[in-house]
Amino acid sequence: MAAGDQRKVITVADPAALARIAADRVLARISANNGRVAICLTGGSSPKKLYQLLATESYRSLIPWDRVHWFIGDERFVPTGDSRNNMNMAREAFLDQCAPASNIHPIPTDTNPDDSANRYERELKSFHGADRLNPARPLFDVVLMGVGPDGHTASIFPDYPALAETERWVVGVPQAHVEPFVPRVTLTLPVLASCREMLFEVAGPDKRAILTRVLDGENLPASRARAMGETIWLVDQAALPENFRER
Ligand code: 6PG
């Protein structure tokens, strides 16, 4: 699978349509893989509706839960049960009701961000069965992503060392650029790129300014995040720049 430079923008009416289309895309990727499936979830508020939808009967009954594994692209360094913990949000929204516990792969937050990054990197390598990424065999089927007001994605902030990382799979981030101002742990761009589909969800008027910058090609972490497979930006009408044209 060659690295894809193309980014496709799909526009939808509103957050409800966005969640539905995202859920259909996740389902299609799961259905396309007869073996063990790996999905990398994201935090923040944008994916919550999607997660809740996956727990509803019409999706839940179509997902082969025993062979789907759920990872997280970044974590806020707060205790597991804290409401700001990204995996905690995903657990409450759908995982705890639907997925076997052994298929849920949280980033640990019980020691310090660097140790936690090392442990999660080992876990990902062991799941992948290799210490190196292989362009012919992506690590993830789907990587979900969001974009922050400063152009960060996962916990890769503008001008932070994590942005330039090419060797490590997971790194500790001592300080965040935006709220919550807690240390983070994040997967790096090459690891997030190792997927069949990277799916950004962008909704609401507050995202319009940063989306304009991303679509204008500004050098931001979210602009640099590209899948080896397809990179899709699902965007609702309220987030679309006024002069948006398909590009
Ligand atoms: C986090 C995230 C982060 C998020 C964006 C968008 O831990 O905060 O993983 O990268 O996706 O900040 O967040 P919203 O969806 O809340 O706008």
Side-chain angles (χ1 to χ4, degrees), residues 47-100:
K48 198 166 180 183
K49 278 195 173 53
L50 158 66
Y51 296 166
Q52 289 167 337
L53 203 51
L54 293 175
T56 60
E57 198 45 33
S58 42
Y59 288 97
R60 186 178 180 157
S61 58
L62 297 175
I63 296 175
W65 294 96
D66 55 332
R67 59 181 181 84
V68 183
H69 289 255
W70 307 90
F71 294 86
I72 190 93
D74 74 307
E75 192 52 270
R76 291 103 177 253
F77 210 77
V78 293
T80 313
D82 189 300
S83 61
R84 296 167 299 173
N85 184 286
N86 286 335
M87 193 54 115
N88 189 60
M89 187 274 281
R91 277 182 177 283
E92 285 182 356
F94 78 115
L95 291 175
D96 281 350
Q97 304 161 56
C98 306

Side-chain angles (χ1 to χ4, degrees), residues 8 15 19 28 40 44 75 80 84 109 125 144-145 147 149 151 154 156 158-159 166-167 191 200 212-213 218 240 246:
K8 187 171 170 193
C40 186
E75 192 52 270
T80 313
R84 296 167 299 173
T109 54
K125 287 179 173 173
L144 296 171
M145 299 281 250
V147 57
I156 304 173
D159 304 323
T166 54
E167 289 301 316
V191 173
F200 279 85
T212 305
R213 293 172 60 193
E218 202 175 313
L240 267 188
E246 291 290 333

Side-chain angles (χ1 to χ4, degrees), residues 42-46 74 76 86 146-148 152-154 184 207:
T42 183
S45 53
S46 305
D74 74 307
R76 291 103 177 253
N86 286 335
V147 57
H152 79 263
T153 191
R184 313 287 184 102
K207 298 282 180 189

